[in-house]
Amino acid sequence: MTSQKRSRSFASHTATYAIGNIARRVVGFAMLPIYTRFLTPADYGVVGLLAFALALFEPLFGARLGWAIPKFYFDAPDSRGKRAVIWSALGLTGAASVVSVALLILVRGMGAEVLFGDRKYALDLGVFAITLLSQPIEQTGMTYLRLRERSGLFLGFSMVKLVLQLGLNLLLVVYWEQGVLGVVLSAVISSIVLGIGSTIYVSIHEAPAFDWQLTRKMIQFCWPMWLSGLAGLYIGSSGAVFLRMFATLGDVGRLELAVKFSSVAGALIWSPFFQHWEPMSYQYHKEEGGRRKFQVAFITISALMFAGGMGISIFSAPVIKVMATKPFYAAAAVVPIVTLGFIVNSLRQFFNFSFFVTANTKIHSLCQYGTAGVITVAYLLLVPRFGLMGAALAQTLAFAINFIFVRYLSRRYYDPGFNLAPLGLFALIGAAAYVCSNVLFHASSLEIDLLVKSLVSLIAIALMGLVGIRSIQAVQGTSLESLPWPLDRLGRIQLGRQSGG
């Protein structure tokens, strides 16, 4: 395949994954006007705490092998080995998750009292526990589609889940007014349907195969990741717990709304990119010039993430005022801080590759637990004094420290030569644009406000694009083949002008 065809293929798959991710995430945004009218901030906080509790429980007791699938799939010497990778992940994850679901259902009353201080949410917790089984199965099937580059089918499954979950939300939350339980049921049912559908697809195309020695290797690779995943989820979500302890459930709900907005850049830009990049990075690592491909990809996605995050931060306040009720308005103030943390935490995953490809997953786990300690201290210092803003600052501080430390440590194992200077410029441009449009300027009407914000955003995006292109020019021109089309063509045009061609 020629470099232009490869870049077009990369762009095509990434765009399809982006649409799929939009479909999978759009339910939360489409339902925001309804959630904020049929649910109180405290109810919305309960939904967030449920997601946090199950996500925290899953890595330790779900025996998920998803982290090992890309590496072992591409390392497998033959088709039977590849089939064994997929079915080992499905089998072990499914068996362990069934036990975990049963256990959590049995202790749902006690769990609700510990988590919410009230046993009335025991049913919600018990029902939501089913996702401990359905989500890992669903994600394994979707990972298989990514490995086979079936991005169109990935989109199809995502659209089915979108329609189903949206319909169930309208039925259960709006029509039957089931509140938190309605939100939980719609998430569980749609996840079960997608998990069953993706598993059926795998079984049609891949005959079952099992290799105990391979499974042992996958477990050895993943067990530090289960522990680090536990720490990672604590780092990313424990702000809700500290807010409940030192503030109110209402603040938990406002933090969840801010996170919903802040995660848009991840859903629309990072996730589709990384869903294609993650499995392919193991291939690029083995190719000649692989380090240059890592460098160009890092600069490109960093520019896109900072540009997207800047737009989210600038427009979050007017959008929240339109979509939500007044008790939720305070969420807009912390969106820029949380967004910056999400961007830094996403880009940190580039450095994690060094640990994964060399099978040093224990180091990744240690880094996560060190960061968990940092964020705990930050929450204890900042949340009692600053409340919602303190939780946002503590989380972003922890992500930044983790980013710096993992970057430093990863270079000992595999160093593609990432240049971090453009990140500082992207952040500076984004911060300046936010201050200009949201702090220094106050419009008398919504129309003028949106116009000014749009103009400032366009100027800032152009500056970020210029920084990105100049940074890519610092990398050898041959690595432009790594860029998604048409960015590769834009880069070649710039290089041609620079050389006088």
Side-chain angles (χ1 to χ4, degrees), residues 65 72 76-89 91-92 207-219:
L65 297 180
F72 284 87
D78 52 33
S79 60
R80 187 187 182 285
K82 295 181 186 297
R83 289 189 285 114
V85 169
I86 300 298
W87 282 104
S88 294
L92 183 64
F210 187 80
D211 184 333
W212 175 241
Q213 294 299 322
L214 174 64
T215 305
R216 287 182 59 188
K217 292 179 180 178
M218 294 174 70
I219 293 173

Side-chain angles (χ1 to χ4, degrees), residues 168-252:
L168 288 170
N169 268 310
L170 292 172
L171 177 65
L172 296 170
V173 179
V174 178
Y175 187 73
W176 285 344
E177 298 184 356
Q178 292 299 301
V180 174
L181 182 60
V183 177
V184 168
L185 283 171
S186 65
V188 170
I189 294 171
S190 59
S191 180
I192 289 174
V193 170
L194 194 63
I196 292 174
S198 60
T199 302
I200 291 174
Y201 179 84
V202 171
S203 63
I204 290 174
H205 291 83
E206 302 288 351
F210 187 80
D211 184 333
W212 175 241
Q213 294 299 322
L214 174 64
T215 305
R216 287 182 59 188
K217 292 179 180 178
M218 294 174 70
I219 293 173
Q220 290 171 357
F221 180 90
C222 280
W223 76 259
M225 301 297 295
W226 299 337
L227 297 178
S228 66
L230 189 67
L233 288 164
Y234 173 83
I235 294 166
S237 305
S238 56
V241 177
F242 282 90
L243 279 174
R244 193 188 78 80
M245 292 170 57
F246 296 108
T248 66
L249 270 175
D251 279 333
V252 176

Side-chain angles (χ1 to χ4, degrees), residues 9-178:
S9 175
F10 192 103
S12 175
H13 286 299
T14 301
T16 306
Y17 289 134
I19 298 172
N21 276 286
I22 293 171
R24 292 163 69 87
R25 297 293 186 97
V26 75
V27 173
F29 277 93
M31 291 298 296
L32 273 181
I34 296 173
Y35 283 161
T36 55
R37 284 163 176 80
F38 284 82
L39 302 177
T40 65
D43 289 336
Y44 204 60
V46 168
V47 174
L49 281 173
L50 280 171
F52 164 70
L54 271 295
L56 200 62
F57 198 81
E58 183 181 17
L60 192 58
F61 297 99
R64 291 178 58 181
L65 297 180
W67 289 293
I69 291 176
K71 173 178 171 56
F72 284 87
Y73 186 86
F74 285 112
D75 285 347
D78 52 33
S79 60
R80 187 187 182 285
K82 295 181 186 297
R83 289 189 285 114
V85 169
I86 300 298
W87 282 104
S88 294
L90 282 170
L92 183 64
T93 297
S97 297
V98 166
V99 176
S100 300
V101 169
L103 176 63
L104 198 54
I105 289 176
L106 288 174
V107 300
R108 62 188 182 278
M110 186 192 318
E113 188 167 357
V114 170
L115 193 60
F116 308 108
D118 195 332
R119 285 180 175 255
K120 73 177 183 178
Y121 296 110
L123 178 60
D124 306 90
L125 180 61
V127 173
F128 202 55
I130 298 172
T131 58
L132 274 176
L133 173 62
S134 63
Q135 285 189 357
I137 298 298
E138 168 194 341
Q139 290 167 6
T140 300
M142 299 300 271
T143 298
Y144 174 74
L145 297 180
R146 290 161 46 207
L147 293 171
R148 297 296 303 273
E149 298 191 67
R150 299 290 191 268
S151 55
L153 196 58
F154 181 97
L155 173 60
F157 276 116
S158 299
M159 292 301 298
V160 169
K161 186 174 184 179
L162 161 66
V163 173
L164 180 60
Q165 191 170 359
L166 189 58
L168 288 170
N169 268 310
L170 292 172
L171 177 65
L172 296 170
V173 179
V174 178
Y175 187 73
W176 285 344
E177 298 184 356
Q178 292 299 301

Side-chain angles (χ1 to χ4, degrees), residues 191-357:
S191 180
I192 289 174
V193 170
L194 194 63
I196 292 174
S198 60
T199 302
I200 291 174
Y201 179 84
V202 171
S203 63
I204 290 174
H205 291 83
E206 302 288 351
F210 187 80
D211 184 333
W212 175 241
Q213 294 299 322
L214 174 64
T215 305
R216 287 182 59 188
K217 292 179 180 178
M218 294 174 70
I219 293 173
Q220 290 171 357
F221 180 90
C222 280
W223 76 259
M225 301 297 295
W226 299 337
L227 297 178
S228 66
L230 189 67
L233 288 164
Y234 173 83
I235 294 166
S237 305
S238 56
V241 177
F242 282 90
L243 279 174
R244 193 188 78 80
M245 292 170 57
F246 296 108
T248 66
L249 270 175
D251 279 333
V252 176
R254 284 180 276 271
L255 178 63
E256 288 301 312
L257 182 61
V259 168
K260 184 79 70 177
F261 275 82
S262 300
S263 62
V264 169
L268 303 188
I269 301 172
W270 175 259
S271 290
F273 163 81
F274 200 67
Q275 282 169 342
H276 191 58
W277 172 261
E278 182 188 23
M280 294 299 105
S281 61
Y282 290 93
Q283 282 188 320
Y284 297 151
H285 167 258
K286 299 177 182 179
E287 295 178 2
E288 183 180 356
R291 280 181 165 80
R292 294 193 298 272
K293 294 180 180 181
F294 274 78
Q295 293 170 37
V296 173
F298 181 74
I299 295 170
T300 304
I301 196 62
S302 297
L304 293 173
M305 286 289 286
F306 274 97
M310 176 198 65
I312 293 165
S313 300
I314 288 176
F315 289 97
S316 60
V319 173
I320 287 176
K321 288 182 180 179
V322 170
M323 298 185 69
T325 55
K326 192 172 182 179
F328 287 92
Y329 288 177
V334 300
V335 168
I337 298 171
V338 178
T339 301
L340 176 61
F342 274 24
I343 293 172
V344 170
N345 196 46
S346 297
L347 296 177
R348 185 258 309 162
Q349 296 182 58
F350 265 97
F351 310 143
N352 288 340
F353 177 81
S354 301
F355 306 135
F356 298 161
V357 76

